[in-house]
Amino acid sequence: MLTGRFAPSPSAPLHLGNLRTALLAWAAARSRGGRFLIRIEDLTTSAGDERTAAVAADQLADLAAVGITHDGEVVRQSERRHLYDAAIARLVDAGLTYPCYCTRREIRDAAVAPHGPDPDGAYPATCRHLSATARHALERDGRRPALRLRADGARVTVTDEMVGTLSVVVDDLVLRRADGEVAYNLAVVVDDADQGVTQVVRGDDLWETTPRQVLLQQLLDLPTPEYLHVPLVLAADGRRLSKRDGAVTLADRTELGEDVAEVVGMLAGSAGLAEPGERLDAATVADRFALPRLVRDPWVFRDGRAARA
Ligand code: GLU
C-alpha cells in the first residue's frame, strides 16, 4: 500500500516551510488513499533531553492542529539504534566499509573541484587505502574514526517527479560518525524500508543526498521509494526561512489572529493548491492534490509581520 511519511528533526519548532512540506507529503499520500507515518529524527539532537522532548511534542501538536493525521505510533530514531547497527554490521561483513580519521577541515582542504552529491564537496577517499600501521598511528594520536561506505565509484541515477533526474558518482559517505552516532543517510534508509515507506516527499535541500540513500538501498537489498522533492520556503533575501523572518510558526500566526484554516489556505496557496486568501482544511488540500498543479519554484515568504514577543 502506498505509504508516505514526514520525518522532522526536533531541533527547532516547525516553521511554515516545514508545515508546508508536511502538508504536501500528507496530501500526496492521502490523495491516493495511502497510509501516512510520522517519525521523529532525534539521533543528533541530544535525544532524551528535556528540550528535545518538548520540541518534538510541540511539532506533533502542530501537525495534529493542521490536520495531518497519521497511522500507527510515532516512532523515534533514538529508540531504533539496533536496526541501524544491524544494517551497518551487514555492510561491515560485506567488506564495504573502512574507518576514516579525517577531520572536517582536512576533508575541506583536500577536496578538489566540488563534485558529487555532497554540498561540502565529495569525500576524496583519503582514508580508503590507509595501511594498518597508519591506522594504529592515528589511533595512538587519539583520533577516533568515523565509519565510511566503500562506494567504489558507484554511479547512481535517481528520478524525481518534481526535480527530474540526477546521475552522480556517489562518494564514500559516512555511516557512523566519529562520536559513534549513526549518520542520517543510513538511518533514513533503514527506517523508510523497515516502516514500509513507498513515497518520500521532502524538502529539495535533501535531493542532492538522495543518490547516497539509493546506493545504500541497493547494497542492503532494500526497495527504493518514489521521491518527490518539494521547493523550500525562502525569506525575501533568498535565505532559507528562519525564526528571524517574522511570524513563521503556527503559534506565531495564531497570535496574529489567524486560524488554522487560514494558515492551511496560505500553505496550500503557496503550492498552487488554493486561491489567495482561501481558508481550507487539510482534507480539501488532499482532494485537490495533483502533481501538475504544484508550483515548482521556492515560495518566497514576504510577510514581515513579527510575532509578538
Ligand atoms: N529529518 C530531516 C529533516 O528534518 C528530514 C529527513 C527526510 O525527510 O528524509 O530535515
Side-chain angles (χ1 to χ4, degrees), residues 1 19 30 71 103 122 128 159 172 234 251 274 293 298 303 308:
M1 178 172 202
L19 283 173
R30 294 297 198 219
D71 300 293
T103 61
R128 195 191 287 166
T159 302
D172 287 358
L234 302 179
R293 284 186 69 165
D303 174 319
R308 264 177 272 142

Side-chain angles (χ1 to χ4, degrees), residues 31-59:
S31 68
R32 284 160 61 186
R35 296 195 308 145
F36 194 74
L37 312 177
I38 295 179
R39 178 171 75 231
I40 302 288
E41 301 208 324
D42 58 355
L43 282 184
T44 53
T45 44
S46 339
D49 78 16
E50 265 174 44
R51 180 171 182 276
T52 301
V55 172
D58 286 349
Q59 292 182 333

Side-chain angles (χ1 to χ4, degrees), residues 11 38 49 70 74 93 136 142 161 178 196 199 205-206 228 238 254:
S11 47
I38 295 179
D49 78 16
H70 62 92
V74 171
D93 290 349
H136 288 145
E161 306 231 28
Q199 181 185 57
D205 53 327
L206 293 168
L228 195 67
T254 310

Side-chain angles (χ1 to χ4, degrees), residues 5-11 14 18 21 39-42 59 77 184-185 188-189 192 200-203 205-206 209-210 213 227 229 240:
R5 49 67 156 187
F6 182 62
S9 305
S11 47
L14 297 177
N18 308 128
T21 300
R39 178 171 75 231
I40 302 288
E41 301 208 324
D42 58 355
Q59 292 182 333
Q77 288 190 322
Y184 156 71
N185 284 307
V188 87
V189 159
D192 283 340
V200 170
V201 180
R202 60 187 177 191
D205 53 327
L206 293 168
T209 203
T210 306
Q213 296 176 17
Y227 287 105
H229 288 83
R240 283 193 205 180

Side-chain angles (χ1 to χ4, degrees), residues 77-146:
Q77 288 190 322
S78 56
E79 293 165 1
R80 298 163 62 79
R81 289 201 166 84
H82 57 287
L83 295 173
Y84 317 134
D85 291 346
I88 290 175
R90 265 187 74 179
L91 297 169
V92 171
D93 290 349
L96 287 171
T97 65
Y98 64 87
C100 166
Y101 299 85
C102 295
T103 61
R104 280 187 89 85
R105 195 199 172 101
E106 285 166 346
I107 294 171
R108 220 178 24 241
D109 291 350
V112 273
H115 65 287
D118 187 337
D120 295 334
Y123 177 60
T126 320
C127 289
R128 195 191 287 166
H129 305 293
L130 278 187
S131 65
T133 322
R135 281 179 192 163
H136 288 145
L138 286 159
E139 304 238 347
R140 259 202 317 277
D141 283 351
R143 295 260 196 136
R144 294 274 79 83

